Amino acid sequence: MNRIKLSLLSALGITALFAGNALAEINVAASFSITEDIVHEIGGDRVKVTAVIPRGSNPHSYSLRPQDLMTLEKADIVFLTGLGFDDYLKRWASAPEHQKKIVDISRGIKPIQNENDDHEGEDHENEHEYHAEHEHHHQGTDPHAWQNPLNGAVYAENIRRELCNREPDSCEFFTGNADNYIKSLKNLDSRYQELFARVPDKNRIMITTHDAFNYLADRYRIKILAPRGITDSHEPSAGDIAAIEKLMKENKVHAVFIENLAANAAVEDLSRKNGRVINGMLFTDSLAEEPEGNTYLRMIEHNLRVIHDAMSQ
Ligand SMILES: [Zn+2]
């Protein structure tokens, strides 16, 4: 299909591009791998999309590289994740000539405020580190809205609308793709609404080391216990481990989770030692190379399945 379109275009010559019927390719920069994937689902081969933060990188501590600035400059549209996620390009985004191509895909999402913001005055020892790692959490708004698939559907609709504005000739194509995609996200959501509703309240508790699942927890009525001060970017200290163990025992928690960005061998040990805990891995701030986490839809399905399995055992 691609090859046919290409040879047709070269046969018609470059002037055809301006004749109205040829399909212009939209150049898109996406904040990170999840946004990139959703743009790809909707834009298909009519959009060229590049993620600014590459897969596997930690957005909590990202700084723009020269090649990222190139990506941003070349883009017709820059899709940002919003809700305080995009601090790493705050300076770039503040220039008026850049502002006009920026679109915040979180528009219409009901934000959740970060409860862990109340640690001021405590944990003095770790305060410096904590602030550096979690700067984007300190706006009071939790940016991890993608952990609820219905918010993914909002992203998708915002992206569809902007692509349609930019390229009305392809709007039908974008809308068809978006409809299918949003349907898949909504089906996934209703399936897990039903499944979680059958899990007893006392089992709907989880511990995570990185406070990334508030939107998921809110949607499926899960209680999250997050030991404070533990970040995803360094090994938990002996004190961190003790805090986790205490939480587990006090609350009879079935599920402790380790993230794809974490190097938490110590937490894994703890899980094994306490028997009742699974070693489920959840995807948080990036898509992964593994097939179960290499698209947004698969990543969310994986997270919901692993959490549900842990709570129903
Ligand atoms: Zn995060």
Side-chain angles (χ1 to χ4, degrees):
M1 189 64 198
N2 253 337
R3 196 165 303 159
I4 293 165
K5 202 174 80 192
L6 274 181
S7 53
L8 185 68
L9 278 180
S10 47
L12 292 174
I14 192 81
T15 47
L17 284 173
F18 302 97
N21 275 335
L23 304 164
E25 196 185 52
I26 310 174
N27 216 324
V28 168
S31 48
F32 72 141
S33 50
I34 291 170
T35 324
E36 177 197 17
D37 181 56
I38 301 174
V39 171
H40 182 72
E41 288 285 345
I42 296 166
D45 59 0
R46 300 188 194 179
V47 169
K48 183 179 179 295
V49 56
T50 309
V52 177
I53 303 176
R55 279 181 193 216
S57 292
N58 183 351
H60 292 257
S61 52
Y62 195 73
S63 10
L64 288 178
R65 305 162 297 174
Q67 73 212 72
D68 300 330
L69 290 168
M70 295 271 286
T71 301
L72 291 164
E73 293 298 331
K74 276 198 308 206
D76 304 310
I77 311 171
V78 177
F79 284 119
L80 298 189
T81 310
L83 305 174
F85 179 83
D86 310 283
D87 282 354
Y88 61 96
L89 49 71
K90 219 175 197 171
R91 196 182 306 156
W92 184 88
S94 64
E97 72 271 27
H98 297 151
Q99 266 163 23
K100 54 179 186 259
K101 60 180 181 182
I102 291 175
V103 176
D104 179 342
I105 61 167
S106 72
R107 245 184 69 192
I109 288 175
K110 192 170 159 263
I112 291 179
Q113 298 308 309
N114 224 311
E115 283 174 24
N116 275 9
D117 264 6
D118 61 13
H119 70 275
E120 300 299 336
E122 295 177 49
D123 295 325
H124 277 292
E125 237 169 87
N126 292 324
E127 208 170 60
H128 248 79
E129 202 166 17
Y130 191 81
H131 278 227
E133 310 283 357
H134 281 83
E135 218 169 315
H136 72 254
H137 288 174
H138 277 261
Q139 307 236 321
T141 304
D142 181 343
H144 304 88
W146 56 90
Q147 294 292 346
N148 172 351
L150 294 186
N151 290 340
V154 175
Y155 293 155
E157 171 55 20
N158 286 332
I159 289 167
R160 183 205 66 81
R161 191 187 312 114
E162 186 58 29
L163 293 179
C164 278
N165 284 344
R166 188 68 53 152
E167 200 48 56
D169 286 349
S170 289
C171 189
E172 209 175 308
F173 172 77
F174 297 143
T175 303
N177 291 345
D179 286 350
N180 287 336
Y181 189 60
I182 289 171
K183 203 180 288 168
S184 307
L185 288 167
K186 288 187 172 167
N187 284 343
L188 179 65
D189 170 68
S190 40
R191 222 164 74 223
Y192 276 92
Q193 276 288 331
E194 274 175 43
L195 287 169
F196 277 109
R198 287 185 230 147
V199 177
D201 282 2
K202 66 174 174 49
N203 290 357
R204 254 185 276 133
I205 304 177
M206 66 189 261
I207 292 176
T208 68
T209 49
H210 163 191
D211 206 1
F213 296 99
N214 293 325
Y215 289 87
L216 185 151
D218 181 61
R219 179 66 190 157
Y220 304 99
R221 294 180 308 284
I222 293 164
K223 186 175 169 195
I224 289 188
L225 301 171
R228 71 178 36 194
I230 302 180
T231 77
D232 54 313
S233 46
H234 66 87
E235 287 285 329
S237 67
D240 294 339
I241 296 294
I244 294 173
E245 190 154 26
K246 190 159 167 267
L247 274 182
M248 283 170 62
K249 291 200 164 130
E250 281 171 1
N251 301 280
K252 298 190 167 54
V253 180
H254 286 239
V256 173
F257 292 101
I258 300 148
E259 301 166 44
N260 61 334
L261 297 178
N264 283 336
V267 175
E268 255 176 276
D269 276 354
L270 181 74
S271 308
R272 260 180 247 117
K273 210 171 82 191
N274 283 271
R276 72 167 88 94
V277 178
I278 58 124
N279 280 332
M281 189 188 73
L282 301 178
F283 298 108
T284 57
D285 293 353
S286 171
L287 296 182
E289 300 299 333
E290 304 94 299
E292 64 267 39
N294 68 359
T295 71
Y296 171 60
L297 199 57
R298 285 195 203 118
M299 153 192 173
I300 295 301
E301 179 155 26
H302 169 91
N303 284 357
L304 290 171
R305 189 182 60 244
V306 168
I307 294 171
H308 180 266
D309 284 355
M311 288 171 184
S312 358
Q313 65 188 352

